[in-house]
Each structure stands twice: as C-alpha cells, then as structure tokens.
C-alpha cells in the first residue's frame, strides 16, 4: 500500500484536491482511503463518504494537530492495510505554517493557494520546503504572470519538488496528480521511521526533538484517536 501525506495552509483546497484525485484513481480501479486530521471539528469525512471514499477523522482538541497526527499515523497505516487499500491519503489540519507532518521515504504533498500572496511560500516551513509534490490551487482566477511568479517563489524554497496546478472544482490536473501518487513507494510499516523535520514545540517527547514513530517513543501528552 502507498501512503501519502497531504499538508497545506487552512482553506487552500486540500479536501477538494483529494476528492478529485481519489475519484480519478477510483475510475482507474485504485482503492483509496483517507485519514483526516483536524482540530475542533470537521465535516470532511461526510464529503469523502458521499463519493464512496472510506474515511476516518481524528480531532486533536486542545493538542497541536501535528503532535496528534504523529502519535496516530502508525495506527492509521494499520487500518489502511487491514482495509486492503491500494493508497491511503493522510490529510493534515494545516493550522500553522510551521507544521512538519512529512515522513522520510513517504510521498509528501503540499497544497498551496495561488491567492494567498506571492510572499506566502517564504512563510511556510517544512510542509512546503520538504514536499515531494507541490499542488497549486485557484490558479484559474489569477493571471498567467501571477502564476509564473508564484511558481518561481515556490522554486526558491523548494527546488526539487514537482509542481502542478489542480482545479478543485473541475478536477483538471487531478488525473496527473493521481499518476504521481500511484508511482509513490509502497509502505508496510512506519515503526522507527523518521519525520523529515522536527515538530513544533509542545508538551510530549516529540517536543524534545524525538522523530521516531511508534508507541515506544511516545511520552507525555499523547492522545489516541478512535478508528472503530
């Protein structure tokens, strides 16, 4: 099974992009599941299930969503394997630009809004700078010059990523993104794998710089989600 981490600022279009891409993958016979991480509330699971995409939601409450994510992603991978998905997509809450949800050797996607301003790429930390694929949304309502400047600014902070434009309303570009995700490396376990960058500071072992995934490395303020 392939695991994909999708991150990005709030309201950048992550859910819409995942829906369109998952529909394109399902049309090609690929089974897709989604794990949604959010903070206080989320109705995205209903949106996914309306489209026939199995989904689970985890709410971090008063905890940093990134820390909640890394404490639960291993169990989420197990759920995906037990469900026999070909591809499992993890969507992060993306509440702060210091988020660092990407994992070494796991395909990492960052979704960024073309309307957020040309300086935005410089303000976003590891979730953009360490992504393998950068998806630009809402590029259809800005000029060609603005799109090119925005891509240039992304290249300045991440020169190695594949950059594509995807329309979350029409699905244009979703098939191409799906092809890239299908080419990602398979992941059978996250035990002992490393985050690509340390988490923002908080009140658990990961706050102190821990990057290994697994229950043996989780200490302090850890909250588990109910997968059912």
């Amino acid at each position: 099974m392939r695991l994909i981490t999708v991150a990005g600022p709030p309201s950048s279009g992550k859910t819409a992009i995942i829906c369109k891409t998952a529909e394109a993958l399902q049309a090609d016979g690929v089974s897709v599941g989604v794990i949604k991480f959010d903070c206080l509330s989320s109705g995205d699971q209903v949106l996914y299930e309306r489209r026939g995409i199995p989904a689970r939601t985890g709410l971090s409450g008063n905890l940093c969503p990134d820390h909640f994510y890394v404490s639960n992603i291993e169990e989420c991978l197990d759920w995906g394997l037990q469900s026999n998905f070909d591809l499992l997509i993890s969507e992060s809450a993306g509440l702060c630009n210091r988020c660092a949800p990407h994992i070494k050797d796991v395909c990492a996607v960052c979704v960024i809004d073309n309307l957020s301003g040309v300086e935005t790429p410089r303000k976003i930390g590891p979730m953009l700078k360490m992504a393998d694929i950068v998806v630009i949304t809402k590029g259809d309502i800005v000029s060609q010059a603005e799109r090119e400047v925005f891509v240039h600014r992304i290249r300045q902070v991440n020169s190695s990523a594949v950059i594509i434009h995807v329309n979350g309303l029409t699905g244009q570009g979703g098939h191409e993104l799906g092809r890239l995700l299908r080419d990602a490396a398979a992941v059978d376990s996250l035990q002992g794998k490393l985050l690509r960058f340390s988490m923002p500071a908080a009140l658990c072992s990961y706050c102190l710089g821990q990057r290994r995934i697994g229950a043996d490395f989780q200490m302090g303020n850890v909250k588990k989600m109910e997968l059912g």
Side-chain angles (χ1 to χ4, degrees), residues 60-94:
S60 64
N62 61 342
L63 298 182
C64 166
D66 249 20
H67 290 81
F68 180 66
Y69 153 84
V70 77
S71 299
N72 285 279
I73 189 62
E74 188 176 24
E75 290 84 352
C76 293
L77 178 70
D78 292 340
W79 172 72
L81 291 170
Q82 293 167 8
S83 301
N84 294 316
F85 295 135
D86 297 316
L87 195 146
L88 178 66
I89 299 175
S90 163
E91 179 187 351
S92 74

Side-chain angles (χ1 to χ4, degrees), residues 34-171:
V34 175
I35 294 286
K36 168 71 177 188
F37 290 95
D38 218 318
C39 191
L40 298 178
S41 66
S42 175
D44 292 344
Q45 181 171 337
V46 175
L47 296 177
Y48 288 127
E49 292 178 343
R50 282 177 183 170
R51 292 165 171 77
I53 305 168
R56 293 290 186 271
T57 300
L59 301 178
S60 64
N62 61 342
L63 298 182
C64 166
D66 249 20
H67 290 81
F68 180 66
Y69 153 84
V70 77
S71 299
N72 285 279
I73 189 62
E74 188 176 24
E75 290 84 352
C76 293
L77 178 70
D78 292 340
W79 172 72
L81 291 170
Q82 293 167 8
S83 301
N84 294 316
F85 295 135
D86 297 316
L87 195 146
L88 178 66
I89 299 175
S90 163
E91 179 187 351
S92 74
L95 295 182
C96 78
N97 287 338
R98 175 55 180 81
C99 298
H102 300 317
I103 303 168
K104 285 187 175 182
D105 304 319
V106 173
C107 182
V109 179
C110 178
V111 180
I112 186 169
D113 175 1
N114 213 148
L115 295 177
S116 59
V118 295
E119 297 297 329
T120 298
R122 293 182 180 178
K123 300 176 183 178
I124 300 178
M127 67 178 173
L128 173 60
K129 295 177 180 178
M130 297 189 172
D132 300 312
I133 303 169
V134 178
V135 177
I136 302 175
T137 60
K138 306 175 187 177
D140 56 316
I141 51 179
V142 299
S143 67
Q144 178 65 27
E146 289 175 294
R147 286 196 294 271
E148 292 178 4
V149 170
F150 199 71
V151 169
H152 175 68
R153 292 299 173 88
I154 292 174
R155 284 277 180 233
Q156 287 180 321
V157 298
N158 188 337
S159 59
S160 61
V162 175
I163 300 176
I164 63 172
H165 288 81
V166 180
N167 189 313
L169 296 178
T170 65

